[in-house]
Amino acid sequence: GAVVSQHPSRVICKSGTSVKIECRSLDFQATTMFWYRQFPKQSLMLMATSNEGSKATYEQGVEKDKFLINHASLTLSTLTVTSAHPEDSSFYICSARRRLSSYEQYFGPGTRLTVT
Amino acid sequence: KQEVTQIPAALSVPEGENLVLNCSFTDSAIYNLQWFRQDPGKGLTSLLLIQSSQREQTSGRLNASLDKSSGRSTLYIAASQPGDSATYLCARGTSYGKLTFGQGTILTVHP
């Protein structure tokens, strides 16, 4: 099977600090990774699409300078929440799309971010 | 704007019942439709994926159908079990992998 990991699984940080979340495809290469955010009792909302070796594409309303995405290799994408505020507290989930597949995505277990 | 709607928002059934979860979407030019399961505080598990050229997919006790003309998909769960309790999400997908999720149906199967 295709496995996607995220690290850390939980993180608590103080307001104003930055937090980096990693998303890794463990047993396959992913040219595209997606970052989602899920607020309590709500569904997943796509934040950005990350393509290996190029700039991420952000969804409308997502601040690219606040949510920095880097996809430096075919197995790793990172999301950095800069100058975090309490309203950024959420569940962040990534997914990875297989290099040779046109539609299958595999989701990570998510990262719970709490900003105090 | 492409929207995905799921009804009911929550469903509670006794063990053994067959049940149907509904998903509707705007824009019939759909590429694919996926059903996922999410346990509390966890990521997503893919259940079934239906391509736009298909009408249904089956996996074990699960059957998902797709009717593009009416903009609807249903997830049928046969002989429900307490372990089926979770949030079920449907999502429409584009050819480049972008998914738009519904709000989910919270399913509780009680013994």
Side-chain angles (χ1 to χ4, degrees), chain B residues 17-88:
Chain B
E17 268 202 14
N18 303 324
L19 56 98
V20 175
L21 307 181
N22 297 290
C23 174
S24 61
F25 49 89
T26 57
D27 187 1
S28 60
I30 188 172
Y31 186 75
N32 61 47
L33 192 291
Q34 297 188 53
W35 284 92
F36 296 89
R37 168 186 174 139
Q38 185 176 30
D39 292 289
K42 305 293 185 181
L44 273 65
T45 301
S46 179
L47 298 174
L48 291 165
L49 182 152
I50 311 174
Q51 292 287 72
S52 61
S53 58
Q54 300 172 323
R55 291 190 64 84
E56 66 176 343
Q57 284 286 332
T58 298
S59 176
R61 294 183 292 109
L62 306 179
N63 175 277
S65 66
L66 175 64
D67 184 341
K68 290 190 299 180
S69 61
S70 65
R72 293 179 181 177
S73 176
T74 61
L75 178 66
Y76 176 82
I77 302 177
S80 59
Q81 303 171 358
D84 294 331
S85 299
T87 297
Y88 289 81

Side-chain angles (χ1 to χ4, degrees), chain A residues 4-108:
Chain A
V4 176
S5 69
Q6 283 185 240
H7 178 79
S9 58
R10 289 178 176 271
V11 58
I12 301 173
C13 70
K14 293 185 177 180
S15 185
T17 62
S18 295
V19 175
K20 180 185 285 187
I21 302 170
E22 293 186 348
C23 176
R24 292 182 185 272
S25 56
L26 299 184
D27 51 1
F28 66 98
Q29 293 183 326
T31 50
T32 305
M33 289 184 172
F34 302 88
W35 286 95
Y36 295 85
R37 180 168 52 185
Q38 185 178 33
F39 291 108
K41 300 190 184 302
Q42 295 187 27
S43 192
L44 281 75
M45 295 296 292
L46 179 65
M47 298 176 66
T49 302
S50 168
N51 292 296
E52 186 265 338
S54 64
K55 290 184 178 180
T57 302
Y58 291 81
E59 295 299 301
Q60 189 174 9
V62 178
E63 300 175 57
K64 63 179 181 180
D65 293 330
K66 181 171 183 62
F67 299 98
L68 302 179
I69 292 173
N70 182 277
H71 192 161
S73 77
L74 286 171
T75 60
L76 173 65
S77 177
T78 61
L79 167 67
T80 301
V81 183
T82 62
S83 186
H85 292 283
E87 57 264 32
D88 297 324
S89 298
S90 187
F91 194 53
Y92 292 86
I93 305 177
C94 72
S95 70
R97 191 178 185 188
R98 278 184 186 272
R99 185 176 193 175
L100 298 179
S101 170
S102 62
Y103 49 84
E104 285 196 78
Q105 287 185 43
Y106 303 92
F107 282 79

